[in-house]
Amino acid sequence: MFDKTIKLPCYGIVVTFAPGESGELRSDLNVPGTVDLIDGIESMILAHAIAGVDIESPAYLEGIETAVEAVANHI
């Protein structure tokens, strides 16, 4: 069972996980034509959370926004 939930202030991202084990991520990121790219970003965020990276830090949130903008500019 997952014991930690983090709601990020961007793209409706909610990460629920057990540190060092597994988890799941939900978001509002549903951009047609970018499924693989968005899945990659979401998978990375989830993996970082499980590994103990501070995904709530301002620098990390800026990185998420930059990555999503890059995907949006790519399509």
Side-chain angles (χ1 to χ4, degrees):
M1 174 160 247
F2 306 134
D3 61 352
K4 187 164 186 178
T5 298
I6 297 175
K7 296 178 182 179
L8 298 180
C10 57
Y11 308 109
I13 298 171
V14 178
V15 183
T16 307
F17 63 103
E21 294 182 20
S22 62
E24 62 185 26
L25 183 145
R26 293 183 317 273
S27 80
D28 296 336
L29 291 170
N30 189 6
V31 181
T34 64
V35 173
D36 291 339
L37 297 172
I38 295 299
D39 282 351
I41 292 170
E42 291 177 339
S43 294
M44 185 181 65
I45 295 167
L46 177 59
H48 284 162
I50 292 169
V53 173
D54 182 4
I55 64 169
E56 296 178 282
S57 75
Y60 195 89
L61 294 171
E62 183 177 341
I64 292 171
E65 291 174 356
T66 300
V68 171
E69 287 174 18
V71 168
N73 290 334
H74 180 71
I75 58 170

